[in-house]
Amino acid sequence: MKVAFLGSVEESFVEYVQELGYETEKISKEDIGNNNYSRDFEILCGSMLFERMDLREFENLKYIFLYSQGIDYLPLDYIKEKEIILCNNKGAYAEPIGEFIVYSLLAMEKYARTNIENQQNKIWKRRAITGNLYNKKAVFLGTGDIAQEAAKRLSGFDLEIIGYNTNGRDVEYFNKCVNLENLNSELNTADYVVLVLPSTEKTKYFVNEDLIKEFKDGAKFINISRGDVVDEKALIKYLEKGKIASAALDVFEEEPLSEESPLWDMENVYITPHISGTAEDNYERFVRCARKNLENLKENKELINIVDLDRKY
């Protein structure tokens, strides 16, 4: 079988895949820009560069193995129609994003921006009060692998940790989980709201004005999922009102975030450029599921992380 790797990929990984018995080719960003690449592959491995390609040109395509967990940038209806097997990189970034959520909560509670600005300006100004994580309550919108890794790490801070999922099923590391019917009563008393839902037709603008109105006054908000799961205009409105005390945002409706966005100038907003999943072992995580599935194909084993194209995750 022939495999194409989109974008940058380490030669050692390519050589390993060749040793498994595959024919391989690398397709760079420049190749895609110049329309200079073959279309006769059965397997494509990649992520965001798929946006620049027309999958209809790959008549032999049978498998797509993603480097990303998100799938919202792909032509999912076409993939379903052609019965192409799509596998994402679920779980590969859970630990670093879990740490990023803890970091974001601490940054907001301990006034990280003020601390850094004071150091830069050589200001010695003691503070009598900072926020705490202990004895607080966090509600996670979503209880998948990323949420579980964050909850696992936060459990040492003596927080009450509540999870929201579609049926309210119990999930490890959460004190309890609720469904939509019981969500508002938990949001009313939550100090932190952490958004980890996937981007689907059902979750678009899940965090909208009506839901934000249910937040406890002064709650802090984190989004590491996808920008379109939040109504950004409503978020800005309630950040300005102080209903949401502060927010740590790693994803946005449009990326890169426009220089005209008022979010840039808000003292109560921490912005990062979609980097919550990065780690010092990033490359190993990048190709983790693609590697495993290429191995499993050769060994006639079941593939991992097959996306349900009806549910879109």
Side-chain angles (χ1 to χ4, degrees):
M1 299 182 78
K2 297 186 69 174
V3 182
F5 302 103
L6 309 188
S8 300
V9 61
E10 289 188 0
E11 193 61 35
S12 59
F13 179 53
V14 176
E15 291 173 357
Y16 174 73
V17 174
Q18 290 171 346
E19 290 172 2
L20 290 174
Y22 293 97
E23 294 181 57
T24 66
E25 185 173 320
K26 293 191 288 186
I27 301 176
S28 69
K29 184 191 301 184
E30 291 71 28
D31 291 334
I32 295 173
N34 296 326
N35 201 30
N36 180 31
Y37 54 91
S38 301
R39 272 80 167 173
D40 60 343
F41 302 101
E42 289 99 338
I43 304 171
L44 293 177
C45 300
S47 53
M48 301 303 293
L49 287 176
F50 278 113
E51 288 187 303
R52 307 184 185 187
M53 305 172 77
D54 186 351
L55 292 183
R56 293 172 296 182
E57 296 176 349
F58 294 85
E59 295 182 359
N60 299 325
L61 186 59
K62 295 180 175 63
Y63 303 95
I64 296 174
F65 299 149
L66 295 180
Y67 304 146
S68 66
Q69 180 161 337
I71 62 172
D72 50 304
Y73 54 89
L74 290 165
L76 299 178
D77 290 338
Y78 174 78
I79 292 171
K80 180 181 178 182
E81 175 191 341
K82 292 299 181 180
E83 298 182 341
I84 297 166
I85 295 175
L86 173 65
C87 300
N88 69 355
N89 206 4
K90 180 181 178 182
Y93 306 109
E95 295 92 348
I97 298 178
E99 290 186 6
F100 191 89
I101 290 169
V102 177
Y103 153 79
S104 297
L105 289 174
L106 287 169
M108 289 187 286
E109 287 291 10
K110 303 302 181 183
Y111 303 101
R113 174 180 285 111
T114 301
N115 295 338
I116 292 169
E117 289 175 351
N118 284 349
Q119 178 180 347
Q120 290 173 335
N121 295 308
K122 301 178 182 178
I123 296 173
W124 182 274
K125 185 177 182 181
R126 301 188 67 181
R127 186 182 299 110
I129 296 174
T130 59
N132 307 311
L133 297 187
Y134 60 85
N135 293 330
K136 297 286 181 64
K137 175 178 176 178
V139 169
F140 280 75
L141 302 176
T143 57
D145 56 290
I146 291 171
Q148 290 170 46
E149 289 296 335
K152 176 182 177 181
R153 285 155 176 74
L154 285 170
S155 61
F157 287 90
D158 294 328
L159 284 90
E160 182 183 7
I161 305 173
I162 308 298
Y164 158 77
N165 53 48
T166 53
N167 54 17
R169 67 191 180 280
D170 291 337
V171 177
E172 188 176 11
Y173 305 120
F174 294 89
N175 296 105
K176 75 173 180 179
C177 293
V178 298
N179 58 16
L180 188 60
E181 183 180 350
N182 300 308
L183 177 59
N184 286 351
S185 62
E186 299 297 339
L187 290 173
N188 294 161
T189 56
D191 302 285
Y192 312 119
V193 180
V194 184
L195 180 57
V196 286
L197 290 170
S199 175
T200 69
E201 294 172 2
K202 291 183 178 180
T203 62
K204 185 176 176 64
Y205 291 165
F206 184 88
V207 177
N208 53 29
E209 184 159 4
D210 288 339
L211 193 77
I212 293 172
K213 286 179 179 178
E214 299 296 332
F215 285 16
K216 175 182 176 181
D217 288 345
K220 296 176 172 64
F221 178 71
I222 294 176
N223 185 13
I224 54 79
S225 63
R226 284 292 187 268
D228 66 357
V229 185
V230 178
D231 181 342
E232 209 162 273
K233 290 181 180 178
L235 177 64
I236 290 169
K237 174 181 176 180
Y238 286 99
L239 279 164
E240 291 174 337
K241 286 177 172 288
K243 171 74 173 179
I244 300 175
S246 57
L249 308 174
D250 188 54
V251 290
F252 303 88
E253 285 194 70
E254 293 186 10
E255 296 182 4
L257 180 63
S258 168
E259 292 182 6
E260 304 304 314
S261 172
L263 290 168
W264 285 111
D265 298 316
M266 291 184 173
E267 289 294 321
N268 57 342
V269 175
Y270 289 78
I271 291 172
T272 47
H274 207 144
I275 58 169
S276 62
T278 58
E280 60 190 41
D281 57 347
N282 204 49
Y283 185 75
E284 181 277 325
R285 295 177 182 278
F286 193 61
V287 299
R288 179 183 293 177
C289 293
R291 177 194 295 268
K292 183 62 177 173
N293 277 328
L294 289 168
E295 292 170 347
N296 285 0
L297 267 183
K298 281 297 180 181
E299 297 170 8
N300 292 315
K301 293 182 179 178
E302 186 176 349
L303 299 180
I304 65 171
N305 292 346
I306 297 177
V307 174
D308 183 328
L309 292 170
D310 291 318
R311 301 173 70 187
K312 302 292 196 301
Y313 62 90

